[in-house]
Amino acid sequence: MQRLRRLLSNKSERVEAKSFVVEGRHLLEEALRAEWQVLEVFVDPERADSTLAGLDLGVVVVHELQSGVLERVATTESPQGVIAEVARRDFADSVLHGWVLVVDRLADPGNLGTLIRSAEAFGASAVVCTSGTVDPFNPKALRAAAGATFHVPVLVDRRLEDLAQRGFRILGTTSHGSPRTSDIAMVDLHGDVAVVLGNEAHGLDPDVSVHEWVSIPHVGHSESLNVAMAGTVLSYVMASRRGQS
């Protein structure tokens, strides 16, 4: 149980173990559906039959815990009777094509999870995280992604320069209009395109190497959208303009 707690709370533990923990039937079901390797399953004995009903666990070892133990391990108040350890997948850059969503030094796991969910929903080939971005396998990020993490490649510790070298056109996003900023709806979005979102508090470094700056025009009084909201709008624009929606 101590190991599970460490996997839930410690990024370095997840990196070293090359695994992470999912909480609840839905995330377990999505991991199985996407054919990720589920290493072990831990269930509340009083809810084991109903919680695992219909899941194809194959040869995965299922551990029945003593009543109340699961609640003490899980990070949620109601872990739905099951948690599981899942082997991490590391994706090669060869999965990058079409359009990708890039997050640069994003700090909030809930925002990252929401962006992964939106990117997957609107057809991104991958979500790319630069160094300094919160771990996409953080429990809160996994919950916010609602299973999308298992259906779109998430690459970590990548550089914008590497995407540019692969032929991607890099679009930096900003909430501050300027003569050098274009309305996202007016920009050519065909080919290999990377849409980059910055840190919640500071955005993108103004000196970051991008091919073009883009923004979402506002008609209301709000200065800017939350990064997760902005990323969802941008993902929809990418899909609709590229004929994917």
Side-chain angles (χ1 to χ4, degrees):
M1 292 303 99
Q2 292 297 326
R3 182 170 181 274
L4 289 177
R5 288 194 184 97
R6 290 196 300 270
L7 286 173
L8 283 165
S9 62
N10 194 313
K11 175 183 176 180
S12 61
E13 189 79 19
R14 294 190 290 270
V15 171
E16 183 178 347
K18 297 184 178 180
S19 66
F20 56 96
V21 174
V22 297
E23 302 174 81
R25 178 187 166 102
H26 174 68
L27 292 183
L28 173 58
E29 192 170 17
E30 290 302 314
L32 291 168
R33 188 155 71 96
E35 299 183 345
W36 285 53
Q37 183 184 7
V38 177
L39 301 174
E40 294 181 287
V41 172
F42 303 84
V43 296
D44 183 324
E46 296 179 2
R47 292 184 282 175
D49 290 342
S50 59
T51 299
L52 301 181
L55 296 181
D56 183 9
L57 293 171
V59 297
V60 177
V61 176
V62 178
H63 303 276
E64 290 194 2
L65 304 178
Q66 292 182 353
S67 181
V69 171
L70 193 68
E71 284 73 11
R72 293 198 296 271
V73 173
T75 64
T76 58
E77 291 185 7
S78 178
Q80 301 173 342
V82 61
I83 61 176
E85 183 180 357
V86 179
R88 181 167 170 161
R89 283 183 183 175
D90 291 318
F91 294 95
D93 289 353
S94 58
V95 303
L96 301 171
H97 62 87
W99 82 272
V100 301
L101 187 67
V102 183
V103 289
D104 180 46
R105 296 169 296 130
L106 211 67
D108 185 275
N111 284 336
L112 178 57
T114 299
L115 288 168
I116 292 171
R117 185 176 185 177
S118 297
E120 192 278 332
F122 292 114
S125 70
V127 175
V128 178
C129 304
T130 66
S131 179
T133 294
V134 67
D135 183 15
F137 300 103
N138 174 295
K140 185 176 178 181
L142 289 168
R143 290 196 299 273
T149 309
F150 302 113
H151 299 289
V152 62
V154 181
L155 286 68
V156 300
D157 294 334
R158 296 309 203 271
R159 303 184 309 158
L160 291 181
E161 293 83 355
D162 297 333
L163 285 169
Q165 289 175 5
R166 292 187 65 85
F168 277 81
R169 190 155 49 91
I170 312 298
L171 303 182
T173 61
T174 177
S175 61
H176 306 294
S178 74
R180 65 173 182 163
T181 303
S182 302
D183 179 342
I184 185 66
M186 301 292 108
V187 176
D188 179 10
L189 299 177
H190 294 90
D192 288 341
V193 178
V195 180
V196 190
L197 294 158
N199 173 269
E200 293 91 341
H202 307 292
L204 288 175
D205 188 325
D207 296 325
V208 69
S209 180
V210 301
H211 294 106
E212 190 169 356
W213 288 96
V214 298
S215 64
I216 301 169
H218 300 150
V219 296
H221 296 289
S222 297
E223 180 183 353
S224 64
L225 297 175
N226 167 279
V227 66
M229 296 169 62
T232 299
V233 172
L234 290 165
S235 296
Y236 170 74
V237 171
M238 292 300 297
S240 60
R241 292 281 306 283
R242 292 169 65 92
Q244 293 173 279
S245 65

